[in-house]
Amino acid sequence: MEQIATSMGGYLSGHPELKYIFFGGKGGVGKTALAGATALWLAAEGKRTLLASTNPVHSLSGLLAQSVFGAATPVSGAPSLWACEIDTKETIEKSKKEIREKIQWFLKFADIGAKADDFVESATMNPAFEESAMFENMVDLMLKDEYDVYVFDTAPTANARRLLGMSKVYSLWVDKMLKSRQEARTLREMLSFTKKKEEDPLLTYLLQFRERMGRARERLTDAEKTAFFFVTLPEALPIAVISRFIGWFHDFGIPVGGVIVNMLLDRQALGDDAPEFVLNRVQMQEEHMKTVWEKFAGSVRAIVPLFDQEVRGVAMLHEAGRALFSEPRNSQ
């Protein structure tokens, strides 16, 4: 029989400085419910906790049965817990305004008589623009440092990987931009008749941006402060997805906290008189659990059962939390 070496509770106890906890996995595996259960458990421990969704298709309001869209909102019946579905619309508009101002300044700097609107449109029509806005909002939350713990419910794994990987991608991009900007500035000064130093808002912005990304990346790659937990069902496709993505997260330097198996059917609770359909599902899950133990040996933190009702609302989140943080429950 396989054993859980370090439980979810054991992992958190072993990382007392943990501040940024992410949940991800294939769509439909229960990421939001387990992120909510974890946030509630931490809040009950007395930690000022923010549960935030970076998934463009938010479901925290549905999970908590109250609107938490756009701003950190106290969760009813859960002292010390706030929740927020990040609204990117305001950030997108703010970014468009900043980009317009920078492009206008650059066109004037280069003596180019063109309107900025076309350039702004091209820049903001980038399909990753909304994703970038989401990352900016997430970094804002992290750097404001208003909570003891942040629990993030992320989009399905591919989006989460791109989102968190942006700290590295941005750092590489801004270094190149800074080099080009400094070269252009040096050349302009050499060709200029005046020795008067000009203000360079673009260079100032890039330097501030690099400093901000550096702080975010430092936190996201600190194994004592950050952990990403992958949620899977005992089924082939979710297991295959996280098998691929765990390696990619390591490539970005983002610490992986472990794997949580969700919605496992309990053969003993069902008994031998359960319908054949159910017993077939149990057998299927037992086969896939062998793969889980084989692929994620030493990284399985918890096995959460399939409940007889939907995990929604504070009462059910407490029950899910008890299963998630109970001491090791071993499987076949």
Side-chain angles (χ1 to χ4, degrees):
M1 179 174 288
E2 301 288 348
Q3 303 284 327
I4 292 177
T6 303
S7 67
M8 190 70 179
Y11 185 90
L12 265 58
S13 298
H15 296 76
E17 302 299 321
L18 206 59
K19 193 176 183 75
Y20 310 106
I21 301 173
F22 295 83
F23 283 83
K26 188 177 178 299
V29 298
K31 300 183 295 293
T32 305
L34 295 184
T38 300
L40 191 61
W41 187 84
L42 290 165
E45 293 280 298
K47 295 179 187 257
R48 185 178 163 85
T49 304
L50 177 68
L51 170 63
S53 168
T54 63
N55 190 339
V57 185
H58 297 301
S59 47
L60 280 189
S61 291
L63 177 78
L64 299 168
Q66 69 175 91
S67 176
V68 297
F69 182 74
T73 306
V75 177
S76 301
S80 300
L81 178 61
W82 286 258
C84 175
E85 292 174 339
I86 293 175
D87 177 14
T88 57
K89 186 177 177 182
E90 186 179 343
T91 304
I92 287 173
E93 292 305 315
K94 182 182 171 188
S95 296
K96 283 183 178 178
K97 181 173 181 289
E98 289 177 352
I99 288 172
R100 178 175 286 103
E101 289 172 354
K102 288 178 180 64
I103 289 177
Q104 284 173 337
W105 181 88
F106 178 78
L107 293 174
K108 183 181 176 184
F109 176 86
D111 293 327
I112 298 174
K115 292 184 178 178
D117 289 351
D118 291 342
F119 294 97
V120 173
E121 188 71 16
S122 299
T124 55
M125 287 296 286
N126 186 322
F129 195 75
E130 184 172 356
E131 213 165 39
S132 301
M134 183 66 78
F135 180 73
E136 289 280 304
N137 277 277
M138 188 187 82
V139 170
D140 278 345
L141 286 175
M142 293 173 65
L143 297 185
K144 280 181 181 174
D145 209 15
E146 295 176 333
Y147 298 88
D148 297 326
V149 187
Y150 296 77
V151 180
F152 290 102
D153 170 33
T154 72
T157 303
N159 299 71
R161 171 192 173 253
R162 287 205 302 272
L163 183 73
L164 300 185
M166 277 184 180
S167 63
K168 183 174 182 178
V169 174
Y170 266 147
S171 298
L172 295 172
W173 172 79
V174 78
D175 283 345
K176 287 187 177 179
M177 288 293 292
L178 270 171
K179 185 180 177 186
S180 298
R181 189 78 207 124
Q182 285 165 335
E183 287 175 352
R185 184 180 170 86
T186 301
L187 185 59
R188 182 180 173 87
E189 287 175 354
M190 288 172 62
L191 295 175
S192 175
F193 291 109
T194 177
K195 297 302 177 188
K196 183 181 177 183
K197 293 288 183 184
E198 292 180 299
E199 287 187 7
D200 189 338
L202 189 55
L203 184 62
T204 302
Y205 165 78
L206 288 170
L207 288 168
Q208 291 173 344
F209 188 76
R210 182 172 68 175
E211 188 272 338
R212 189 162 172 268
M213 285 304 107
R215 288 167 62 200
R217 180 158 176 72
E218 184 180 345
R219 297 182 189 202
L220 284 171
T221 55
D222 185 339
E224 295 305 312
K225 285 189 167 59
T226 295
F228 193 102
F229 292 95
F230 286 91
V231 182
T232 185
L233 302 182
E235 296 178 6
L237 290 182
I239 293 170
V241 165
I242 67 172
S243 298
R244 291 199 305 273
F245 281 93
I246 283 177
W248 291 2
F249 273 70
H250 284 309
D251 291 343
F252 278 118
I254 297 166
V256 174
V259 172
I260 299 164
V261 182
N262 195 20
M263 302 186 198
L264 185 74
L265 289 163
D266 187 339
R267 176 184 280 274
Q268 290 185 337
L270 291 168
D272 294 332
D273 297 331
E276 185 179 357
F277 168 81
V278 177
L279 292 176
N280 286 340
R281 296 288 300 184
V282 171
Q283 186 175 358
M284 179 202 74
Q285 288 192 345
E286 288 174 352
E287 289 299 316
H288 288 305
M289 283 305 297
K290 294 176 184 173
T291 306
V292 168
W293 292 119
E294 180 186 343
K295 285 183 174 292
F296 311 120
S299 297
V300 179
R301 302 287 174 237
I303 297 173
V304 178
L306 177 66
F307 296 102
D308 61 3
Q309 56 184 295
E310 184 181 9
V311 178
R312 183 169 183 263
V314 170
M316 275 306 297
L317 286 173
H318 272 304
E319 185 165 344
R322 282 192 286 273
L324 181 59
F325 286 93
S326 64
E327 278 313 295
R329 174 177 182 269
N330 302 310
S331 181
Q332 295 83 357

